[in-house]
């Protein structure tokens, strides 16, 4: 969820996991994928685009990231942590935007991006969960945050996004939730416990 403090959690992990670990983000992570990130998030015209267009742009950036950074890193024996992944596409573009008809296309693109040429899917998704009213309030009050058109949506949008994350957890791979109403220190402890339990690193 936006406003959950996931960036802080990744920074805390980054201080601990300096060896054989790559940190990246979606969309982004490579020069070309960062251009897509700027287009889909920051371009003033992005908010006028269609949900399908945004959905496809996120998958285009993901294909670039997996091909150029993720798989080479994994084959080199490194762990990869990403700030967001296709769980967010599922939550935001399918549920947040009210386009559940895109689920068939979601599964097709996931199969294409992750199941070809020896690629494999993420081992674990950690979702930092917040009530929608708390998430939106934090985003609106965060003076350091450069808000984009996704942030400025109504409360109902945030509620649909949260529903999307929960639905994703029922239908997909290994997913763990962390209560993001806790202190950053408690969230960090919970995150580390999850990583130990799943032997991710």
């Amino acid at each position: 969820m936006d406003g959950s403090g996931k960036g802080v959690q990744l920074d805390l992990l980054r201080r601990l996991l300096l060896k054989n670990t790559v940190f990246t983000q979606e969309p982004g992570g490579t020069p070309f994928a960062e251009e897509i990130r700027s287009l889909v998030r920051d371009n003033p015209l992005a908010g006028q685009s269609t949900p399908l267009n945004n959905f496809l742009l996120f998958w285009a950036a993901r294909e670039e990231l997996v091909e150029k950074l993720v798989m080479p890193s994994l084959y080199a024996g490194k762990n990869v942590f990403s700030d967001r992944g296709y769980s967010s596409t599922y939550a935001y573009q399918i549920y947040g935007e009210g386009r559940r008809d895109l689920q068939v296309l979601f599964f097709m693109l996931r199969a294409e991006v992750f199941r070809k040429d020896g690629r494999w899917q993420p081992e674990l998704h950690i979702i930092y969960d917040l009530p929608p009213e708390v998430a939106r309030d934090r985003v609106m009050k965060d003076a350091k945050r450069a808000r984009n058109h996704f942030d400025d949506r109504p409360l109902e949008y945030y509620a649909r996004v949260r529903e999307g994350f929960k639905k994703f957890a029922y239908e997909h791979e290994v997913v763990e939730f962390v209560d993001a109403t806790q202190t950053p220190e408690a969230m960090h402890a919970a995150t580390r416990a999850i990583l130990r339990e799943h032997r991710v690193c």
Side-chain angles (χ1 to χ4, degrees):
M1 295 289 290
D2 287 310
S4 64
K6 61 183 174 54
V8 172
Q9 296 306 311
L10 283 166
D11 286 341
L12 291 171
L13 286 176
R14 193 177 282 113
R15 298 174 194 175
L16 293 173
L17 306 172
L18 297 179
K19 295 182 179 180
N20 295 320
T21 306
V22 173
F23 287 87
T24 188
Q25 65 179 357
E26 286 200 20
T30 71
F32 184 50
E34 288 291 337
E35 289 293 322
I36 299 175
R37 178 186 181 88
S38 178
L39 178 65
V40 76
R41 287 170 50 91
D42 305 324
N43 189 294
L45 298 176
Q48 304 171 30
S49 186
T50 68
L52 176 59
N53 194 26
N54 288 329
F55 176 89
L56 294 172
L57 284 170
F58 280 118
W59 278 106
R62 185 167 296 123
E63 162 67 15
E64 169 75 7
L65 177 66
V66 171
E67 174 69 19
K68 299 292 179 59
L69 179 64
V70 174
M71 291 314 302
S73 298
L74 293 176
Y75 279 121
K78 299 178 181 180
N79 293 303
V80 178
F81 287 77
S82 180
D83 182 341
R84 295 207 183 278
Y86 58 76
S87 57
S88 292
T89 301
Y90 191 90
Y92 283 84
Q93 275 63 62
I94 292 178
Y95 272 75
E97 299 284 1
R99 289 296 307 270
R100 298 188 192 185
D101 57 305
L102 293 177
Q103 289 188 67
V104 173
L105 184 57
F106 175 92
F107 289 116
M108 290 175 59
L109 289 172
R110 188 185 69 168
E112 176 63 23
V113 170
F114 286 97
R115 295 177 183 169
K116 69 174 187 179
D117 301 330
R119 296 178 181 178
W120 55 84
Q121 297 178 44
E123 295 179 29
L124 173 67
H125 301 261
I126 299 178
I127 296 172
Y128 295 100
D129 182 49
L130 277 177
E133 60 274 11
V134 176
R136 190 175 192 279
D137 185 63
R138 286 184 181 181
V139 168
M140 294 297 109
K141 291 180 177 179
D142 187 352
K144 297 180 181 179
R145 183 186 184 98
R147 296 213 305 266
N148 58 61
H149 62 98
F150 293 111
D151 297 329
D152 292 328
R153 305 294 176 90
L155 179 61
E156 293 77 13
Y157 175 82
Y158 282 74
R160 292 193 301 269
V161 168
R162 191 189 195 196
E163 180 187 3
F165 277 122
K166 292 183 179 294
K167 186 67 172 177
F168 177 88
Y170 283 112
E171 295 186 350
H172 296 271
E173 307 79 14
V174 180
V175 180
E176 297 281 0
F177 284 83
V178 172
D179 179 2
T181 64
Q182 303 177 92
T183 65
E185 294 78 13
M187 291 171 61
H188 181 58
T191 300
R192 293 186 66 182
I194 289 170
L195 295 179
R196 286 194 298 268
E197 177 185 353
H198 291 276
R199 299 180 180 178
V200 174
C201 62

